[in-house]
Amino acid sequence: MKEIYMDNNATSRVADEVVEAMLPFFSEQYGNASSMHEFGGQVQRHINKARESVAQLLGAADPGEIIFTSCGTESDNTALFSALRSYPERRHIVTTRVEHPAVLNTTRYLQSQGYQATYLAVDGEGMIDLEELRSAVTENTAVVSVMHANNETGVIFPVDKAAEIAAARGAVFHTDAVQSAGKLPLDLKRSNIDMLSLSGHKLHAPKGIGALYVRKGTRFVPFMMGGHQEHGRRAGTENAPYIVGLGKACELARKNVETENTAVKALRDRLEKELLSRISNAKVNGGKSPRLPNTTNISFEFVEGEAILLMLSDLGIAASSGSACTSGSLEPSHVLRAMGVPFTFAHGSIRFSLSVYNTAAEVDFVLEKIPAIIERLRRISPFGKNGKRPQEAGVCREN
């Protein structure tokens, strides 16, 4: 049975070209990039090339603005802690209710340490209100962290405008671009964004490598202390094979951005349109907002998302009910709760996230199988019979 993988917002396959680029650095060019001899120096040159590739993907002004990390979570933590340590007199953080746990849980921890935090609401289509942000940022705000695109719904936030609002108050602006890097064109040299996080395994590089963009002139305090690596900004021996892999993946992503926004988007749109036409009581979450070209989050009323996923898995189809970092919970997604999605819809939400490796034939197969799955589950659903909604099922709102 061939696996049909439509969970690319959770992780993506490593591109063959990336694997090929990495292999020599395990057994042939395995020197320490910090060594003074040529055996290490040649590795450093490949790391420098990778740094240039990441900078080009992001539209950064200088490759020196790129710091290699272990993952998106480390990048997010580094950005938040750096901003707070750089401005110790400021004790306030602004973020959104729909951030990835790497930002949300870090902010909650910082609240336990005495910091204040404001969590911006989103509307029913998953979008923030820039006027609410403008009101929330004060002279006491150290950092504003707003994701570029939501990992569950794909909704794209106006981060360039948000960064302008933060800059007007002297606050550092950080964006988690883990989902958008490689899917949307980026031009950081023309933006007020101070820091940006990305993760390799979301754009066909391996797990265990990420990067943090820090705009030149932005105050910065390292999160990882120790040696002089990354110009003293991130200690630890450089993970040369994975850095090279990320660089290659960024090269490929630059070439594929147009494909993501044409061919991949066309597959996503067809999947979405056909599912809505073939299945009653279904809705797209965030469908009226600008979204990533590869992502659709669809709720099927009166069924459990986990049951849908298990039946899809039996057919070799991989999808998700939300963030892979929170899918162990039986509670509805915090993102859908923040959007006020009704309870009977929120529990039946499925995220399909495609990539350049998906095909029209795969979309056809999914479209063939899902309607029967939903029909079967609705016949045994405890949430509602014959289209009748249970009286206790209200709006699933996060306070």
Side-chain angles (χ1 to χ4, degrees):
M1 181 173 59
K2 181 181 182 295
E3 183 80 17
I4 296 177
Y5 189 76
M6 293 187 176
D7 197 16
N8 287 276
N9 285 11
T11 196
S12 62
R13 64 164 283 189
V14 180
D16 294 340
E17 299 92 330
V18 171
V19 174
E20 183 179 357
M22 293 173 62
L23 287 177
F25 296 89
F26 289 106
S27 58
E28 298 169 17
Q29 296 174 271
Y30 55 84
N32 189 321
S34 297
S35 299
M36 295 186 66
H37 48 66
E38 175 58 19
F39 196 61
Q42 63 179 341
V43 176
Q44 184 62 61
R45 287 192 289 274
H46 284 281
I47 289 176
N48 292 342
K49 180 183 176 183
R51 200 183 308 277
E52 292 173 1
S53 296
V54 177
Q56 288 171 353
L57 177 67
L58 300 180
D62 187 342
E65 295 174 316
I66 306 302
I67 302 170
F68 289 115
T69 66
S70 65
C71 59
T73 294
E74 183 190 332
S75 297
D76 287 343
N77 275 257
T78 300
L80 294 176
F81 278 95
S82 174
L84 295 172
R85 289 166 177 165
S86 295
Y87 296 91
E89 72 282 4
R90 296 184 175 220
R91 307 285 294 177
H92 180 230
I93 305 159
V94 177
T95 188
T96 79
R97 294 183 180 180
V98 296
E99 296 294 311
H100 188 275
V103 169
L104 276 183
N105 289 339
T106 302
T107 302
R108 289 166 182 154
Y109 166 77
L110 289 164
Q111 283 184 279
S112 75
Q113 301 303 300
Y115 288 92
Q116 296 177 315
T118 299
Y119 298 90
L120 303 176
V122 294
D123 62 21
E125 294 298 327
M127 183 56 67
I128 62 170
D129 181 347
L130 289 176
E131 290 308 310
E132 183 186 4
L133 171 62
R134 199 184 307 276
S135 299
V137 182
T138 71
E139 300 298 329
N140 190 42
T141 304
V143 59
V144 177
S145 184
V146 176
M147 65 192 343
H148 189 194
N150 187 264
N151 49 300
E152 295 191 25
T153 62
V155 170
I156 301 168
F157 292 139
V159 290
D160 286 330
K161 292 180 180 178
E164 292 176 5
I165 293 171
R169 289 285 191 166
V172 174
F173 185 84
H174 164 255
T175 186
D176 179 333
V178 165
Q179 293 297 341
S180 60
K183 301 185 184 81
L184 299 177
L186 296 167
D187 192 6
L188 291 177
K189 60 182 174 291
R190 299 181 182 275
S191 172
N192 283 311
I193 293 171
D194 297 302
M195 292 191 274
L196 176 148
S197 303
L198 68 83
S199 179
H201 76 105
K202 303 300 173 70
L203 46 81
H204 305 293
K207 301 167 185 65
I209 185 66
L212 176 67
Y213 160 85
V214 181
R215 185 171 56 83
K216 186 176 290 187
T218 302
R219 293 188 195 178
F220 184 78
V221 178
F223 185 65
M224 299 280 282
M225 305 289 185
H228 63 276
Q229 293 87 358
E230 295 299 290
H231 302 287
R233 298 174 299 177
R234 200 274 188 182
T237 302
E238 295 94 339
N239 187 356
Y242 285 62
I243 290 172
V244 169
L246 177 59
K248 187 63 178 180
C250 288
E251 288 181 29
L252 296 172
R254 284 185 70 205
K255 297 176 182 177
N256 287 331
V257 165
E258 184 177 351
T259 302
E260 288 275 0
N261 287 274
T262 53
V264 175
K265 182 178 184 297
L267 290 177
R268 188 279 307 270
D269 289 349
R270 180 165 177 271
L271 174 65
E272 192 173 88
K273 179 181 177 181
E274 289 297 322
L275 286 176
L276 292 179
S277 69
R278 299 181 190 191
I279 302 172
S280 63
N281 296 90
K283 67 184 292 287
V284 176
N285 297 307
K288 295 180 181 178
S289 293
R291 287 179 298 154
L292 292 173
N294 77 315
T295 305
T296 183
N297 187 304
I298 303 180
S299 288
F300 303 99
E301 196 173 23
F302 306 130
V303 294
E304 284 280 357
E306 289 77 8
I308 301 172
L309 292 178
L310 289 173
M311 295 178 76
L312 287 174
S313 183
D314 287 341
L315 296 170
I317 301 168
S320 172
S321 59
S323 170
C325 298
T326 58
S327 59
S329 171
L330 292 178
E331 290 298 312
S333 152
H334 74 284
V335 174
L336 299 186
R337 294 204 308 270
M339 292 169 63
V341 175
F343 176 87
T344 52
F345 276 101
H347 269 284
S349 65
I350 299 296
R351 181 189 68 189
F352 297 97
S353 46
L354 282 61
S355 81
V356 294
Y357 295 107
N358 286 115
T359 67
E362 291 177 335
V363 170
D364 289 341
F365 185 79
V366 172
L367 289 172
E368 176 190 338
K369 299 299 181 182
I370 288 188
I373 289 175
I374 302 302
E375 181 182 2
R376 176 183 173 188
L377 290 174
R378 280 179 174 168
R379 285 201 301 266
I380 59 174
S381 170
F383 293 122
K385 303 289 186 181
N386 301 318
K388 296 181 179 179
R389 292 171 174 79
Q391 292 182 353
E392 68 274 16
V395 169
C396 198
R397 172 71 72 180
E398 182 172 276
N399 296 321

